[in-house]
Amino acid sequence: MVVVTRIRREVLTLPAARLGADNPLPPLRPLDEVHRIDDRDREEMPRDMARQLGLEPLAGLLPVRVRDGYGRTREPRRVEALVIENDRLRATVLPGLGGRITSLLHLPTGRELLYRNPVFQPANFALNGAWYSGGIEWNIGATGHTTLSCAPLHAARVPAPDGGEMLRLWEWERLRDLPFQVDLWLPEGSDFLYVGARIRNPHERPVATYWWSNIAVPEDVRVLAPAEEAWFFGYERRLRRVPVPSYDGVDRTYPANSPYAADYFYEVPDGRRRWIAALDADGHGLVQTSTDVLRGRKLFVWGAGPGGRRWQQWLTEPGTGGYCEIQAGLARTQLEHVRLEAESEVSWLEAYGPLDAPPGGEWTEAVREAEGRLASALPRTRVEEAYAAWKPCADTEPAQTLAVGSGWGALEVLRADWKLPGTPFPESTLGEAQAPWRELLRTGSLPEPRRVRPPGETLVAPHWRDMLETAPATPHTEYHLGVAQWHAGDRAQAVRSWERALPLAPSLWPLLRCLAVADQEAGHHERAAERYADAFDDLCRERRDDGEVWTAAVAALGREALEALLRARRTAQARAVWDRLLPAVRQRGRFRLLHAELLLAEGSRARARAVFDEDFEVADLREGADVIGRLWARLGDEPLPGRYDFRMRPDPV
């Protein structure tokens, strides 16, 4: 009996941490991205690569908010999933968590082709914070993990090129203001999942864009790709060309052989088929291939050092095995962005499936054999034909809605009357977050909040900034205008807007906090500390309860105020902030770390050390951060305990 491709709903129950509320403070500081390089490295690069490394790098996260409200307490939770399967493969997709493929099961053998994380544990790896490991994720926007890592996407059932069904995922990517889509389908009898992807630029100007498909696989593999060289990037922030498979006498295509976390961006020659595979010792594993537009291929490893192992434990459950990532992107490296011309699009097709080939032995022979096996299982011409067949279907309107994403795309379509066939953003998806901006669009005025609460999100694109500049200059409007001006680089005007709003504003703390950030960025740390203290005082007077929204505001502003006051050595004021934090906030790992720093500043070294001895976990510890190690070093000469060791690079010599 032939089993036709079908799409169905499923509910997974996972040990999962709550995402919690987003940080309500607009992210005004420069982007904290670890993937930056020393300018000296540019001298040895190909010209196109050097040019794309400098193409419109993001300065900040606006208009997106930081997601840092999660913790590390996991409880069984229901997660909505969509399953697409034929008689050969079953792909499980999480539309509410970035559209990630969390499982790709080869049915005839019962083999899971991906690293499937048995838990949902957010960690601070996305550009805006919350991210989780495992499966196949779709990274769009800018260097790093997408801001949509833990966000809902739109999903629908769509006719496939072969007359079956496709699962379409789509959203509006807000960092670059671009709509994108991902179409998944399984032809009848196919051992390969096809993925058609498209990014559209509806604007009348070119836009820098970015895409990497990240595939988590078990790390006890050898990774093969058609390359003799790679661009190596470590957390020392140096990018250099190295030979493949070995350099410094070590074969780096075995993930366990790397001592520290690192990226290997393979230099696939022009004209060579684009593919990458991860094969275990028995020669079984997964291969990913694509049309040539998806140029880059990469291996990411955590490394065998204690920091890399600690991160692996942090992201999942102990004893579940480690993973590495094989990846595919639009450029050679993830440090680059590509130019997407005005009113144009870029699209490609990927294929994911099982591969059986001997992984060991001499590199050239192992690659040749794997490439031959791939050619037999899925000829290159078939991938090109599948792409050509999919392209006309990319504009097909969805037949049945399966999940709903955000309302930001609907707002942009409403503003510009864009026609985006295949990816509808209906007005019905507009919600509370978009309501004031819809009113600004309709009336030219930004409405005042109907109740006392932290300010909503700020839109910062030039067209929204223009509308704010011509709207009636209420304190609420001046606050949002200042945020938009700051994002545009007009910091002096942003400060003037915030200062104009202060005399009549019913809530002072959002404005004082923005002015404090401006002071810090200008090097006025004493004045910034004073403004932070005043802002926190005002917030404590204004907060209405200890619900999720106000708790998020107290935690966000309290953290920034403590850090600013400690930097300015205003220990007594820092203690006053600490004492007024909500008890639940003081128990968070981030704040216990800050408390240890406060105790040390007060001269209580033994009590600061006791905080470490009692154990804490900083749920939102940033990738590559060494804040715990630096504070520990100030407390004594003992080695950093393993439970606190997240170092991803060698210690400086």
Side-chain angles (χ1 to χ4, degrees):
M1 181 181 71
V2 175
V3 178
V4 297
T5 300
R6 58 187 179 272
I7 299 171
R8 57 183 170 84
R9 298 180 186 273
E10 190 170 281
V11 177
L12 309 179
T13 300
L14 299 175
R18 292 183 65 252
L19 274 171
D22 289 354
N23 188 321
L25 307 182
L28 300 177
R29 291 185 176 83
L31 192 63
D32 179 20
E33 222 317 289
V34 298
H35 296 90
R36 301 184 187 279
I37 66 167
D38 192 307
D39 285 340
R40 293 172 296 174
D41 294 335
R42 297 175 189 268
E43 298 173 4
E44 305 299 324
M45 294 176 187
R47 288 185 178 180
D48 63 329
M49 183 175 173
R51 182 175 62 253
Q52 291 180 165
L53 279 166
L55 182 63
E56 297 182 31
L58 280 185
L61 274 175
L62 287 165
V64 175
R65 283 187 163 179
V66 172
R67 309 201 75 171
D68 59 3
Y70 53 88
R72 290 191 56 78
T73 300
R74 296 195 287 264
E75 298 175 350
R77 301 183 193 278
R78 292 164 60 88
V79 180
E80 298 292 331
L82 297 171
V83 176
I84 178 171
E85 63 183 325
N86 62 6
D87 59 339
R88 309 292 295 176
L89 282 177
R90 177 186 301 148
T92 304
V93 182
L94 305 182
L97 293 169
R100 186 168 307 198
I101 300 177
T102 190
S103 170
L104 187 61
L105 187 67
H106 187 235
L107 298 173
T109 61
R111 292 205 312 261
E112 174 60 62
L113 301 181
L114 306 174
Y115 169 75
R116 182 171 188 173
N117 196 334
V119 305
F120 171 69
Q121 178 56 63
N124 193 359
F125 279 73
L127 287 165
N128 63 331
W131 170 89
Y132 63 106
S133 63
I136 304 172
E137 58 177 310
W138 320 110
N139 286 300
I140 181 174
T143 299
H145 293 281
T146 176
T147 61
L148 296 166
S149 291
C150 293
L153 301 191
H154 300 280
R157 200 185 304 265
V158 182
D162 59 0
E165 292 185 330
M166 284 194 300
L167 174 59
R168 174 164 298 163
L169 306 165
W170 74 99
E171 242 306 351
W172 194 275
E173 199 289 309
R174 300 179 67 201
L175 293 180
R176 300 296 191 182
D177 257 346
L178 300 176
F180 72 97
Q181 72 188 76
V182 175
D183 288 354
L184 313 175
W185 81 100
L186 285 163
E188 181 182 318
S190 174
D191 276 315
F192 285 84
L193 173 69
Y194 288 166
V195 179
R198 173 168 67 168
I199 306 171
R200 288 191 274 201
N201 176 15
H203 303 284
E204 296 178 348
R205 66 182 190 283
V207 177
T209 193
Y210 172 95
W211 183 278
W212 280 80
S213 302
N214 289 11
I215 309 130
V217 293
E219 68 178 351
D220 54 348
V221 294
R222 191 185 198 190
V223 173
L224 302 177
E228 302 294 330
E229 293 181 312
W231 294 92
F232 167 78
F233 179 81
Y235 285 78
E236 307 92 333
R237 300 190 176 184
R238 297 299 305 273
L239 183 68
R240 61 183 184 272
R241 197 191 300 254
V242 298
V244 173
S246 301
Y247 78 94
D248 289 344
V250 178
D251 187 335
R252 308 293 173 135
T253 62
Y254 292 91
N257 287 350
S258 289
Y260 292 95
D263 300 325
Y264 299 88
F265 299 102
Y266 294 114
E267 185 69 80
V268 180
D270 290 342
R272 192 79 180 264
R273 185 175 187 179
R274 309 286 167 176
W275 63 274
I276 189 168
L279 304 175
D280 65 20
D282 295 326
H284 306 311
L286 174 128
V287 65
Q288 186 272 359
T289 188
S290 71
T291 49
D292 290 350
V293 166
L294 209 62
R295 173 180 185 173
R297 292 298 184 276
K298 171 193 161 183
L299 164 64
F300 166 76
V301 298
W302 283 105
R309 307 326 297 169
R310 185 70 182 101
W311 272 118
Q312 295 255 32
Q313 298 164 4
W314 187 257
L315 295 169
T316 183
E317 287 186 336
T320 55
Y323 76 96
C324 62
E325 290 179 358
I326 57 175
Q327 307 180 9
L330 286 175
R332 278 188 182 90
T333 73
Q334 289 174 331
L335 288 77
E336 302 168 70
H337 298 88
V338 299
R339 180 183 172 99
L340 188 56
E341 297 296 340
E343 300 178 333
S344 70
E345 64 180 51
V346 59
S347 62
W348 62 92
L349 185 125
E350 304 178 50
Y352 296 82
L355 184 69
D356 295 317
E362 195 272 330
W363 174 253
T364 303
E365 177 58 25
V367 170
R368 186 193 67 78
E369 181 65 22
E371 197 163 42
R373 301 275 184 104
L374 172 61
S376 297
L378 185 67
R380 188 176 185 178
T381 53
R382 192 182 303 167
V383 175
E384 299 289 346
E385 291 166 357
Y387 173 68
W390 167 73
K391 275 290 287 177
C393 299
D395 284 348
T396 303
E397 293 301 322
Q400 179 191 6
T401 299
L402 299 173
V404 178
S406 79
W408 295 113
L411 184 67
E412 293 299 331
V413 168
L414 185 65
R415 180 194 64 81
D417 194 29
W418 278 318
K419 308 302 180 188
L420 300 169
T423 55
F425 293 96
E427 288 190 44
S428 60
T429 60
L430 292 168
E432 183 181 1
Q434 294 82 39
W437 301 97
R438 185 182 189 181
E439 186 69 11
L440 174 64
L441 184 63
R442 189 179 68 85
T443 68
S445 297
L446 193 68
E448 291 296 305
R450 295 181 178 179
R451 62 185 186 276
V452 177
R453 63 180 304 171
E457 298 180 59
T458 302
L459 297 183
V460 296
H463 42 268
W464 293 108
R465 189 174 72 247
D466 290 345
M467 281 186 260
L468 288 169
E469 287 175 344
T470 57
T474 65
H476 186 60
T477 300
E478 293 280 23
Y479 163 79
H480 286 290
L481 175 59
V483 174
Q485 290 166 331
W486 181 272
H487 176 73
D490 193 349
R491 296 189 169 186
Q493 189 58 55
V495 168
R496 284 193 286 271
S497 294
W498 293 325
E499 289 177 339
R500 281 197 305 267
L502 274 174
L504 297 176
S507 295
L508 300 181
W509 65 267
L511 296 160
L512 289 171
R513 182 265 176 177
C514 289
L515 290 168
V517 173
D519 285 335
Q520 283 183 322
E521 292 297 303
H524 303 308
H525 298 292
E526 288 288 336
R527 190 167 66 192
E530 192 64 40
R531 278 179 160 154
Y532 266 121
D534 291 343
F536 195 74
D537 285 344
D538 187 66
L539 172 58
C540 289
R541 285 191 296 269
E542 182 176 288
R543 75 183 185 204
R544 295 298 190 260
D545 53 45
D546 60 355
E548 191 172 64
V549 171
W550 286 106
T551 297
V554 169
L557 186 58
R559 173 182 170 178
E560 290 188 11
L562 281 168
E563 291 171 342
L565 290 164
L566 287 170
R567 179 171 184 171
R569 297 177 180 168
R570 296 191 176 201
T571 310
Q573 286 179 295
R575 172 59 65 180
V577 169
W578 173 264
D579 289 342
R580 285 176 294 169
L581 291 171
L582 297 166
V585 172
R586 286 201 295 264
Q587 290 304 310
R588 296 181 185 180
R590 171 66 65 179
F591 285 88
R592 295 183 68 187
L593 180 65
L594 281 169
H595 192 215
E597 187 175 357
L598 173 58
L599 289 167
L600 185 60
E602 292 173 332
S604 300
R605 183 180 300 270
R607 292 179 63 196
R609 169 61 188 264
V611 174
F612 279 83
D613 293 340
E614 293 165 1
D615 286 351
F616 59 86
E617 293 183 317
V618 181
D620 63 334
L621 187 67
R622 184 66 175 164
E623 173 189 9
D626 57 357
V627 59
I628 297 177
R630 290 200 308 270
L631 182 56
W632 176 263
R634 292 168 58 194
L635 294 174
D637 298 327
E638 295 181 36
L640 182 67
R643 65 187 182 277
Y644 297 126
D645 189 352
F646 294 89
R647 291 171 293 187
M648 298 176 72
R649 60 178 178 269
D651 292 331
V653 179

